[in-house]
Amino acid sequence: MNPASDSEAIVIAVSKGRIFKDAMPLLARVGVRPTDDPEVSRKLILDTTDPGVKLVVVRASDVPTYVEYGAADVGIAGKDVLLEYDGDGYYEPLDLGIARCRLMVAGPAADCMPPNRLRVATKYAGITRRWFAEKGVQVEVIKLYGSMELAPLVGLADRIVDLVDTGNTLKANGLRPLEHICDVSSRLIVNKAALKTKHLRITALVRQLAASVGASSPWGGA
Ligand code: ATP
Ligand code: PRP
């Protein structure tokens, strides 16, 4: 069954790991606690203590896809993922303020003369192309799926574009932050059609979550 076709339940897409860990206390404050731990269970659709809410556990970068296509009504995704996502079939009513970090250009701590055409390794190919194009800098973007910090160490790239929080990963690999592209935190996103068909339940959820993170109510009301 497509979980989002259940007119009774709101389906929330969330990724395992960091976002799940940070989002669960927020959802718990509005009465939504998963009945299984996704780090332990192999289940991908989780019931919660609210019979009207289910969670689907997906890859972080897949959250906007599930929400845009209506396979989930609501999702929790990093702003980095949303900026990289090629589509806008969802609303983004709320900054949850969790999983905060920065998207940065980084390079070797020891300065060396960069070549005419920089090679930049990243999993954020779209953001990286736009960032350097706006500055009029010619780059070759090398798409990676993780461990970006390795690329300059082994001569694969001159720069990386990656997330930085404490800066420990950069430091441990002899790199330093060079340019700040944007601040990142996790956002609540909502499928456009679901906002109409499940209007009362979704707006209530968004308002409760807004109150629980101390944000003003995005769609009016108390
Ligand atoms: P995918 O499985 O799609 O490749 P991922 O492995 O990047 O995703 P996580 O590492 O759990 O998934 O990161 C999920 C989100 O958490 C990121 O999109 C970002 O918004 C945020 N994030 C990532 N790294 C950090 C960090 N070091 N500190 C704070 N937030 C972070
Ligand atoms: C993220 C990111 C950096 C690191 C930055 O990786 O890709 O490598 O965190 O955090 P720091 O500045 O506090 O060191 P993550 O831990 O998610 O591992 P990943 O390679 O699996 O994405």
Side-chain angles (χ1 to χ4, degrees):
M1 186 191 76
N2 173 359
S5 68
D6 177 357
S7 60
E8 295 305 312
I10 292 178
V11 177
I12 305 178
V14 63
S15 55
K16 277 204 276 196
R18 183 174 275 123
I19 289 189
F20 193 89
K21 197 173 128 285
D22 288 3
M24 284 313 110
L26 297 184
L27 288 172
R29 275 190 243 160
V30 303
V32 175
R33 292 179 184 80
T35 51
D36 286 284
D37 177 353
E39 303 294 350
V40 178
S41 165
R42 301 293 297 167
K43 279 188 185 175
L44 298 173
I45 301 177
L46 306 182
D47 289 325
T48 74
T49 46
D50 181 337
V53 179
K54 289 182 194 298
L55 303 183
V56 290
V57 181
V58 305
R59 286 283 296 265
S61 47
D62 288 337
V63 168
T65 307
Y66 277 77
V67 174
E68 172 159 14
Y69 287 91
D73 302 307
V74 173
I76 299 175
K79 187 66 185 176
D80 52 320
V81 164
L82 299 179
L83 288 171
E84 187 64 20
Y85 183 67
D86 194 15
D88 62 353
Y90 52 79
Y91 298 115
E92 188 190 313
L94 187 59
D95 183 349
L96 294 170
I98 56 173
R100 286 180 185 276
C101 52
R102 303 170 307 282
L103 191 58
M104 305 210 62
V105 181
D111 235 345
C112 51
M113 186 62 111
N116 279 344
R117 189 157 190 247
L118 281 177
R119 282 193 302 184
V120 187
T122 186
K123 73 177 180 188
Y124 303 100
I127 296 172
T128 300
R129 283 202 187 89
R130 291 197 296 272
W131 175 257
F132 285 102
E134 275 164 24
K135 291 158 53 99
V137 176
Q138 276 225 337
V139 296
E140 180 182 351
V141 175
I142 299 178
K143 169 83 182 178
L144 292 178
Y145 293 87
S147 302
M148 267 75 79
E149 292 86 355
L150 178 63
L153 306 186
V154 295
L156 178 61
D158 309 294
R159 300 279 184 270
I160 63 168
V161 167
D162 196 11
L163 300 170
V164 179
D165 178 20
T166 60
N168 289 342
T169 312
L170 289 183
K171 208 166 161 197
N173 292 291
L175 302 176
R176 65 184 168 119
L178 297 173
E179 295 167 50
H180 176 264
I181 298 178
C182 62
D183 289 330
V184 167
S185 54
S186 294
R187 312 300 166 100
L188 195 77
I189 59 172
V190 175
N191 173 266
K192 288 183 174 174
L195 185 62
K196 294 195 180 104
T197 55
K198 301 180 181 179
H199 185 77
L200 288 178
R201 308 222 31 226
I202 289 179
T203 50
L205 177 72
V206 174
R207 276 190 207 126
Q208 285 172 333
L209 282 171
S212 97
V213 299
S216 55
S217 200
W219 287 319

